[in-house]
Amino acid sequence: MEQSRICKGCWEQMHVPVPLRGVISAPFRAFGVRPSRMNPNTCTICELMFTKVMRARKITIDATIMFADLRGYTSLSQSQSPDAVSGLLDAFYDECANAIWAYDGLLNKTIGDAVMAVFNFPLVRAEHPGNAVRAARDIQKGWRERREVLVAAHGLTASELGIGIGIHSGELSFGEFGHTHRDLTAIGTVVNTASRAQSVAEADQILVTKAVFDRAQADLKDSQSKAFQLKGFDTPIELYAA
């Protein structure tokens, strides 16, 4: 992925050209302004903009959440060497990060063998549900290609190294939560639903909610739906295979 030389977030939202790379970025780095670990095309100002710039601890935004989980990781960690397990996880994180950043998403969390991404913050994109779907498809495509090498190297079967993905869109809270340990993240029903959709996705499958289906028709016109009883939900939820 080609990386931006200035922060996209600061330029788009404040029209300030904050340099991220090269000699000109040195003075900014001296003051702690550097590429964000969540998206290297944005900076640490963007990460903190709602606490330091807008003086608010959290805000409500319209966004898309994507969860991706590496299937079979737990069992593999018991049968493979620590180096092999670490290599698998590094490869998984790399595939997810590159796809998420390519579509202006934020890699908000890595949770063991899963990642959580936020689309439409801090880079605002009207097509964020479609961007999440396209990122998910790129993750699956890239992983299928990389998986062949990993399978051969570690004597595994392809089915042991699949990725399940769930996506949901809607209003959620984003900001810093907690007091003793502050965490910059998204919370709410949208996040929970995306997580639950991921939990029922099969290896190599992407499942999206009707909210995503309705807002990303161009990418999902041939998708078929099925009702799932998700944990914590009273009624079945329609999910579409993407």
Side-chain angles (χ1 to χ4, degrees), residues 9-10 12 40 57 62 65 70 75 80 83-84 91 95 97 101 103 120 137 169 190 211 214 216 225 233 237 241:
C10 289
E12 292 179 8
R57 283 199 61 208
D62 175 47
I65 300 294
L70 180 59
S75 60
Q80 299 293 317
D83 286 345
E95 287 297 336
W101 295 337
Y103 292 96
N120 210 34
R137 287 174 173 169
S169 292
V190 171
D214 289 343
S225 68
F233 290 79
I237 302 293

Side-chain angles (χ1 to χ4, degrees), residues 198-234:
Q198 172 270 120
S199 70
V200 298
E202 298 177 1
D204 299 329
Q205 187 177 41
I206 303 165
L207 292 179
V208 308
T209 62
K210 191 174 188 303
V212 177
F213 177 80
D214 289 343
R215 299 172 69 177
Q217 286 285 345
D219 296 286
L220 298 167
K221 57 184 178 182
D222 297 323
S223 297
Q224 300 296 314
S225 68
K226 178 182 175 181
F228 290 83
Q229 185 62 58
L230 303 182
K231 183 178 179 180
F233 290 79
D234 295 331

Side-chain angles (χ1 to χ4, degrees), residues 13 21 31 59 78 86 127 155 157 175 188:
Q13 297 183 38
R21 293 164 185 89
F31 287 94
I59 59 167
Q78 298 171 359
S86 177
E127 68 277 16
T157 60

Side-chain angles (χ1 to χ4, degrees), residues 43-239:
C43 72
T44 46
I45 293 175
C46 290
E47 287 185 6
L48 299 174
M49 67 188 322
F50 294 108
T51 55
K52 298 293 179 65
V53 178
M54 298 178 70
R55 301 288 189 256
R57 283 199 61 208
K58 58 183 178 289
I59 59 167
T60 299
I61 60 173
D62 175 47
T64 298
I65 300 294
M66 179 180 76
F67 279 89
D69 177 83
L70 180 59
R71 300 294 191 246
Y73 173 78
T74 302
S75 60
L76 287 173
S77 65
Q78 298 171 359
S79 61
Q80 299 293 317
S81 70
D83 286 345
V85 172
S86 177
L88 289 172
L89 208 53
D90 286 345
F92 169 66
Y93 287 159
D94 286 347
E95 287 297 336
C96 291
N98 288 331
I100 291 164
W101 295 337
Y103 292 96
D104 294 328
L106 200 69
L107 179 54
N108 185 223
K109 285 181 178 295
T110 55
I111 316 162
D113 57 353
V115 302
M116 171 184 162
V118 181
F119 293 82
N120 210 34
F121 176 89
L123 301 176
V124 177
R125 300 288 183 266
E127 68 277 16
H128 58 91
N131 281 348
V133 171
R134 290 187 283 273
R137 287 174 173 169
D138 281 2
I139 289 172
Q140 297 288 24
K141 180 178 182 294
W143 187 249
R144 283 192 295 269
E145 295 170 355
R146 182 176 288 202
R147 180 169 59 188
E148 295 180 9
V149 177
L150 295 170
V151 164
H154 301 294
L156 307 171
T157 60
S159 61
E160 291 180 295
L161 288 177
I163 295 175
I165 298 177
I167 306 173
H168 185 35
S169 292
E171 285 198 347
L172 52 86
S173 292
F174 192 97
E176 283 192 325
F177 298 92
H179 295 284
T180 56
H181 173 72
R182 291 192 172 185
D183 191 17
L184 186 70
T185 190
I187 63 170
T189 302
V190 171
V191 178
N192 296 337
T193 304
S195 177
R196 297 305 185 194
Q198 172 270 120
S199 70
V200 298
E202 298 177 1
D204 299 329
Q205 187 177 41
I206 303 165
L207 292 179
V208 308
T209 62
K210 191 174 188 303
V212 177
F213 177 80
D214 289 343
R215 299 172 69 177
Q217 286 285 345
D219 296 286
L220 298 167
K221 57 184 178 182
D222 297 323
S223 297
Q224 300 296 314
S225 68
K226 178 182 175 181
F228 290 83
Q229 185 62 58
L230 303 182
K231 183 178 179 180
F233 290 79
D234 295 331
T235 59
I237 302 293
E238 287 288 317
L239 298 176

